[in-house]
Amino acid sequence: MQFERRGAFLGLIVDEILQRTEITMLQTLKSMIGDSGIGLGFEYTTHRSILQSISSYWCLQLNGTAHNSKTAIKISLNGLVVRHVRTIADLTSLAVGEYGLPTISSFPFGGAFVRLEDGRLVVIQATISDKHKADVTKRNKIASSANVKKDKMVLLVILPVDKIPWFSYNDTVNDMPQYISTCVPQATDAAIIKLRTKKRSIGLI
């Protein structure tokens, strides 16, 4: 029982360290390479974090702003395999368990696409801004190619921790469920063991 309490306590400490480290690193990088550079870096980090995920993501639903978000859900993004997409038509063959990752930076509407087992299509966007206006001009074509109805599309915006309280609701897609989350690694049992044994050469997770 004492070991379990210590494990839970260390888990909280590790999680807090990771969150504070992420905020400090982002602030430092912004001063060095500007918002555009840090934005590209954060997008890369988001994709890598999701593809290495071993658990579901807790997400807050936006209702105007994050301040009045009351609904939290879990979206399973673990165990995904990359499937590169170059055109919207490539989304036709996107299967459950695949991570549709565009190979071009100008891909419309989403930075990645995930088809869930319940038939929903999760459109993932990563940003360091307080708001994000999606390019909706190709939304209908994306829904058609992915063979989903528009009401089965979900927007998931991944943010740095310090942006979570301030992120604004995207009114350009107000008929679409919108959620926010962050890609901070979670303090797992494996992370706690590595910290205890000082085996940190391969990272925390």
Side-chain angles (χ1 to χ4, degrees):
M1 182 64 69
Q2 182 179 3
F3 179 82
E4 291 178 356
R5 287 199 298 269
R6 288 179 59 194
F9 177 68
L10 280 173
L12 291 173
I13 291 177
V14 172
D15 189 56
E16 181 67 19
I17 290 173
L18 289 170
Q19 291 190 36
R20 294 192 180 190
T21 300
E22 185 198 49
I23 292 172
T24 302
M25 289 175 63
L26 283 172
Q27 291 172 341
T28 302
L29 285 172
K30 282 181 183 178
S31 65
M32 294 173 60
I33 60 177
D35 285 344
S36 60
I38 190 63
L40 289 173
F42 182 74
E43 184 175 0
Y44 169 80
T45 300
T46 294
H47 295 313
R48 182 177 178 182
S49 177
I50 291 175
L51 290 169
Q52 292 179 342
S53 175
I54 57 174
S55 61
S56 299
Y57 272 56
W58 274 109
C59 308
L60 281 177
Q61 185 169 11
L62 286 178
N63 300 304
T65 68
H67 291 289
N68 57 22
S69 296
K70 296 181 180 178
T71 303
I73 67 166
K74 274 188 175 183
I75 296 181
S76 178
L77 297 176
N78 55 302
L80 298 173
V81 178
V82 173
R83 181 183 181 88
H84 292 296
V85 294
R86 180 172 177 79
T87 67
I88 293 177
D90 292 336
L91 293 173
T92 302
S93 55
L94 183 68
V96 174
E98 293 183 331
Y99 189 73
L101 186 63
T103 58
I104 56 174
S105 59
S106 58
F107 201 92
F109 197 50
F113 302 85
V114 177
R115 192 189 300 275
L116 302 181
E117 291 185 358
D118 61 10
R120 289 180 296 169
L121 182 71
V122 181
V123 180
I124 299 174
Q125 282 283 3
T127 182
I128 62 171
S129 301
D130 293 332
K131 57 184 178 180
H132 183 76
K133 299 298 183 183
D135 176 10
V136 298
T137 56
K138 302 294 185 180
R139 179 184 171 192
N140 289 341
K141 188 174 181 180
I142 288 174
S144 177
S145 292
N147 196 26
V148 296
K149 295 181 179 180
K150 285 202 302 183
D151 61 1
K152 285 290 187 179
M153 296 178 73
V154 176
L155 179 62
L156 173 58
V157 182
I158 306 297
L159 304 164
V161 176
D162 59 335
K163 294 295 183 180
I164 290 289
W166 317 111
F167 190 75
S168 298
Y169 181 79
N170 189 341
D171 54 14
T172 62
V173 286
N174 55 15
D175 60 339
M176 190 174 174
Q178 300 178 38
Y179 296 91
I180 56 175
S181 189
T182 186
C183 63
V184 175
Q186 299 181 16
T188 63
D189 292 339
I192 302 302
I193 292 173
K194 288 174 185 176
L195 284 176
R196 287 202 185 105
T197 58
K198 298 182 180 179
K199 295 179 180 179
R200 308 182 218 183
S201 58
I202 58 174
L204 288 175
I205 294 180

